[in-house]
Amino acid sequence: MNADAPNRPKRVGVICESPSIQLSAQYDMLADLNDFEFYLLLRSPEHGNPAWAARPPTKTRFELLDQSRLLPRRLRPRFNTNVVAVLDRHDFDALVIHGIYDSAAVWQGIWWCRRRKRPYLLRCDGNVKKETDAPGRRLLRHALARRNIRRAGALLCIGSQNCKYYSFFGAQERQMFMAPWEIDYPELQAHLDIALPRRGELRSALGVKDQVVVSSIGRLYSLKGFQDVITAVTRLVSEGLPVTLLIAGDGPYRQHLEALAARAPVGAVRLLGNLTRHGIVELLVSSDVFVLCSHVEAWGLVVNEAALAGLPLLTSDAVGAAPDLIVPARNGFVYPARDTRRLYELLREMVARKDLRESMGRGSREILDSPAGV
């Protein structure tokens, strides 16, 4: 740390992607710490994922890093041009860097810390299941990641799966500290308090009053695995079980999913498109089971939301939140990613047994309410 003015709060710069409800809320909470001052350096004014609604921090100061105007818009957040000058101006005592190796801001931040002899902390959403692409590219990425992780003063882990990612690149246990992604629980609970008494009305409006409602939420990409749960629900309906699948979200895979839904019995699968925050809460309140079938998922904050809504959870083992938020048979099940047979078997058991759904729903709330969590 900077030895100057030892009695002043330590200034910590945070190089991160963009303002959002989740990120801004977390750093606003840290603004209450008396011994530290946090200052966000944003690589982009807007997040690439519309589900991460834009919201600037209200208690933590921030500024936007310059971007190269010569590059296509989608590439600009990876090539900020004034990072070192900004760091020199602020003369931070330490940096928290979101990312490992995949942006110019990361490398400029690490270089600045090395030159100034200041510590840096790394935070990322890496999942070791992503390390499966072409060998040449993978070897280069591994070398870069290992270098930066080895030199980090600390590694902020969003969950157990994220810890495994750091360990894969040679991180030491002493470097790793749990710093989970969280949602704004009080705000969500306020929405739930309004929606829960209207559950019957909401289900009637959706036309699912007598159905077992399975819901899933996310961007519509192939790696999110929505096609897996559509196949499972289609089979359940064909066997005579009263189940309806409701999917919220949008994305480039929507046309393919619509084609799959069209082959299911009428009304068995419905794609709702993007919903507002209030609409998502109403969907969760209307549901009986929440499913997230991602083939790769760094965390999955919607799992936190579904658990707070008191839903039984069914996720693949590729979902980062699974080992931290699901106790098998207590509040849900975890199945091997892409194992569509096991997904079908577990979902069938949950759909067929109301007592199991109700006990698991209570388990979800108990786990979130417990100070120790899972």
Side-chain angles (χ1 to χ4, degrees), residues 200-212:
E201 173 190 340
L202 295 171
R203 287 171 61 88
S204 293
L206 287 168
V208 294
K209 185 176 180 180
D210 299 319
Q211 298 289 98
V212 177

Side-chain angles (χ1 to χ4, degrees), residues 70-365:
L70 300 177
L71 295 171
R73 189 179 185 87
R74 63 184 177 83
L75 295 178
R76 290 176 188 174
R78 296 191 180 276
F79 293 94
N80 301 102
T81 57
N82 66 330
V83 179
V84 171
V86 171
L87 297 177
D88 282 338
R89 170 160 51 86
H90 288 287
D91 193 24
F92 294 114
D93 296 293
L95 289 182
V96 176
I97 301 174
H98 288 221
I100 301 294
Y101 58 83
D102 57 352
S103 79
V106 169
W107 288 99
Q108 290 178 75
I110 291 175
W111 180 85
W112 185 87
C113 286
R114 302 267 307 162
R115 179 169 63 89
R116 291 296 193 98
K117 295 182 170 54
R118 308 286 165 79
Y120 67 85
L121 294 73
L122 295 178
R123 181 177 178 89
C124 79
D125 61 359
N127 187 319
V128 74
K129 289 182 179 290
K130 289 184 178 180
E131 306 303 313
T132 56
D133 54 16
R137 182 182 175 189
R138 186 167 66 244
L139 288 174
L140 175 60
R141 183 170 67 248
H142 287 189
L144 297 176
R146 286 180 183 277
R147 175 185 182 275
N148 292 343
I149 287 172
R150 184 178 68 251
R151 295 176 173 178
L155 305 167
L156 304 180
C157 304
I158 65 174
S160 303
Q161 294 275 44
N162 196 215
C163 288
K164 292 179 181 178
Y165 177 85
Y166 287 124
S167 297
F168 179 80
F169 290 112
Q172 302 298 310
E173 187 174 350
R174 60 178 173 77
Q175 291 179 281
M176 294 188 282
F177 298 86
M178 292 297 283
W181 278 353
E182 296 286 1
I183 58 175
D184 189 334
Y185 288 105
E187 180 187 22
L188 182 60
Q189 185 62 59
H191 284 297
L192 287 169
D193 290 341
I194 295 171
L196 281 167
R198 301 177 54 233
R199 172 176 157 86
E201 173 190 340
L202 295 171
R203 287 171 61 88
S204 293
L206 287 168
V208 294
K209 185 176 180 180
D210 299 319
Q211 298 289 98
V212 177
V213 176
V214 176
S215 63
S216 193
I217 301 170
R219 299 197 76 187
L220 304 188
Y221 290 110
S222 61
L223 285 177
K224 291 291 186 178
F226 291 109
Q227 62 274 22
D228 298 342
V229 69
I230 289 176
T231 300
V233 167
T234 298
R235 182 175 174 184
L236 292 174
V237 174
S238 69
E239 294 172 356
L241 274 72
V243 56
T244 296
L245 172 63
L246 302 178
I247 297 174
D250 210 342
Y253 206 54
R254 177 164 185 154
Q255 187 173 357
H256 178 80
L257 297 178
E258 287 176 336
L260 285 178
R263 293 199 286 270
V266 176
V269 180
R270 288 157 57 186
L271 277 63
L272 306 178
N274 283 329
L275 300 179
T276 64
R277 172 59 49 190
H278 187 64
I280 288 174
V281 171
E282 291 188 341
L283 173 60
L284 293 174
V285 166
S286 302
S287 302
D288 299 291
V289 178
F290 180 80
V291 178
L292 191 61
C293 300
S294 303
H295 301 165
V296 174
E297 185 78 50
W299 179 260
L301 281 167
V302 70
V303 179
N304 298 61
E305 296 173 334
L308 190 67
L311 290 177
L313 310 172
L314 175 58
T315 79
S316 75
D317 63 357
V319 174
D324 297 295
L325 292 183
I326 300 177
V327 177
R330 179 182 172 192
N331 73 321
F333 294 115
V334 179
Y335 72 94
R338 302 177 190 267
D339 187 341
T340 54
R341 179 177 179 81
R342 188 58 179 154
L343 166 62
Y344 157 77
E345 292 171 346
L346 292 173
L347 188 57
R348 192 183 197 288
E349 183 176 2
M350 298 173 82
V351 168
R353 292 183 55 191
K354 183 178 181 181
D355 64 317
L356 182 65
R357 297 196 304 271
E358 291 178 344
S359 66
M360 285 184 169
R362 290 192 296 271
S364 286
R365 282 299 306 233

